[in-house]
Amino acid sequence: MAARARRASRSAVLRHRVRVQQLDRAPGAAAGPGDVAVLDAGVQDTGPDGALWALALRGLDVRRGAWPDALALAWTVRGAPHAYRRDDLPAVERALRPWSSADAATRVFDAARPLRAAGLDPRDALATAARRMRDVVTQPLTKGEVSTAMTGRLPDPYLRWCRPCGTTHMYEQTFRLAALHAGLELEPGTSPPVLRRVPGWPEDAVARTDVPPPGGRHDLVRTTLHLLGPATPRLVAASLDAAVADVRARWPDDVVEVDVDGDVRSVLAADADALDAAEEPPADPVVRLLGPFDLFLQARDRDLLVPDAAHRAALWPTLGRPGAVLRDGEVVGTWRPRARGRRLALEVEPWRTWAAATRRAVDDEHARLAAFRGLVPA
């Protein structure tokens, strides 16, 4: 007789993600960046509070605008800026090398067509861009300065006419994704962004195209499956802007199938018991004010995260995303900050009637966000 398939409720999946992402930690509970699991995958730095607020929510003692020396910022997954442990950057760069020509084409989006039309492999094109970028950035330079220099060093298939800028420059994703492969990081807090060389970056690591085997602390598929699981190859590929076939080829062997309300997914075997345990609601539900680009909200199964279509539209509009009020793994409303001088107000939109305990918890998180910004709650 076949073994009965594991089952997991939607609520358990969401609670499990809260726990593996360490959103249930008390403020300041993390011993340091090495003790924050989401830094294995990178923490997106988008929005006014960005990566540091996401790390504060996971127990790291940080404040807005005060980047610890142990953290570094680079353009990585989806071309977005992400924070990592500085010592991990070489391993992160290796993990981010495209797994195939098709995968590179998926990652660079619209740049793939002119490259291929010119007979260029998108993976090799990224390496060429990285070598040129390394030559350009010998001292800290703004994105615009680097872009101007790169336009003069690359042939037409790498370039496009940009109507908003009124000039010709590199395709955006190729530009961003080549930077770390060139051994370049972003200077935190700069606008426009400033690129600089990563201290001590070995020249023989620039523009490498050899792909590391699956596995390891920064393996993109494995970290995504751990932090946003249970999932499928298609969901993971969508999260990474990667080719589905390559994700399937690198799918971990140590997974078990789990039925999530009729949808068969995979979870790492090491996480299966924790997923089972998440069926039990906590005595004291976790309430958090997630930033608009928090990893918890980056999962591509948005219908699982937020079943109501109108609520999904409110949480993920085309422009101007709000933050999410999270309670016990459920998004129960949205929030937007309203700073007035030294005071921080919070504009909240509950999606249902909140219990008094939830309102008190939101007030506590409001005060926590204000302190993170060096303000007082209004």
Side-chain angles (χ1 to χ4, degrees):
M1 179 180 296
R4 183 180 178 185
R6 283 181 179 266
R7 294 184 181 276
S9 67
R10 172 180 168 275
S11 296
V13 169
L14 298 180
R15 285 191 201 106
H16 175 67
R17 292 179 185 177
V18 166
R19 293 170 186 175
V20 295
Q21 292 186 31
Q22 300 172 321
L23 281 165
D24 55 346
R25 278 179 159 181
D35 189 33
V36 181
V38 291
L39 283 169
D40 292 348
V43 180
Q44 188 164 335
D45 188 51
T46 303
D49 301 302
L52 293 181
W53 176 240
L55 292 170
L57 289 177
R58 290 158 173 89
L60 194 62
D61 187 11
V62 287
R63 297 291 182 272
R64 182 179 178 180
W67 277 80
D69 293 339
L71 294 180
L73 190 65
W75 279 319
T76 59
V77 178
R78 300 179 300 276
H82 283 72
Y84 297 90
R85 305 176 195 95
R86 175 165 295 283
D87 291 346
D88 289 351
L89 280 183
V92 169
E93 185 278 323
R94 287 193 294 274
L96 284 162
R97 293 173 193 167
W99 301 317
S100 68
S101 296
D103 182 49
T106 301
R107 298 189 197 193
V108 299
F109 296 139
D110 53 349
R113 179 174 292 181
L115 290 171
R116 284 176 160 167
L120 298 172
D121 183 319
R123 183 165 53 178
D124 293 338
L126 269 176
T128 296
R131 283 191 289 271
R132 301 290 185 272
M133 199 175 288
R134 180 74 174 180
D135 292 341
V136 166
V137 184
T138 56
Q139 62 183 1
L141 295 174
T142 66
K143 181 187 177 188
E145 291 171 327
V146 179
S147 179
T148 298
M150 291 292 287
T151 300
R153 290 171 179 252
L154 290 170
D156 286 346
Y158 291 81
L159 309 175
R160 69 180 181 90
W161 170 256
C162 177
R163 187 179 300 275
C165 297
T167 188
T168 296
H169 55 63
M170 284 180 66
Y171 282 86
E172 184 69 15
Q173 285 297 92
T174 310
F175 184 93
R176 289 177 176 237
L177 294 178
L180 186 58
H181 298 310
L184 306 178
E185 63 178 317
L186 297 168
E187 188 173 314
T190 55
S191 181
V194 170
L195 290 97
R196 63 192 182 194
R197 289 190 172 190
V198 178
W201 197 266
E203 290 297 327
D204 63 1
V206 174
R208 294 277 292 271
T209 58
D210 50 310
V211 183
R217 188 174 192 181
H218 302 286
D219 180 90
L220 297 178
V221 174
R222 192 173 188 87
T223 56
T224 303
L225 187 54
H226 171 56
L227 295 167
L228 293 175
T232 64
R234 188 168 296 279
L235 286 171
V236 171
S239 292
L240 299 174
D241 276 348
V244 178
D246 285 286
V247 171
R248 286 198 179 101
R250 298 177 67 87
W251 201 245
D253 293 327
D254 56 331
V255 296
V256 295
E257 288 190 345
V258 56
D259 183 315
V260 181
D261 294 341
D263 184 18
V264 178
R265 304 180 176 207
S266 296
V267 65
L268 291 172
D271 291 336
D273 288 344
L275 177 61
D276 288 344
E279 293 288 355
E280 185 68 25
D284 188 15
V286 171
V287 174
R288 296 288 183 261
L289 298 178
L290 302 182
F293 293 88
D294 191 275
L295 178 63
F296 190 89
L297 303 176
Q298 295 284 10
R300 289 304 186 260
D301 50 0
R302 290 180 173 178
D303 54 340
L304 181 106
L305 285 174
V306 180
D308 184 272
H311 290 161
R312 286 198 300 273
L315 184 59
W316 291 292
T318 303
L319 295 173
R321 292 185 189 182
V325 181
L326 192 74
R327 180 192 180 278
D328 192 24
E330 292 279 354
V331 178
V332 296
T334 61
W335 65 275
R336 295 181 186 274
R338 295 288 184 256
R340 303 183 182 95
R342 300 297 302 167
R343 301 181 71 81
L344 180 70
L346 206 66
E347 181 182 291
V348 297
E349 290 289 340
W351 288 349
R352 65 202 66 159
T353 301
W354 290 350
T358 299
R359 289 193 171 276
R360 288 194 298 270
V362 170
D363 288 342
D364 290 342
E365 293 300 299
H366 175 192
R368 183 180 177 187
L369 177 62
F372 168 82
R373 288 190 173 197
L375 305 174
V376 294

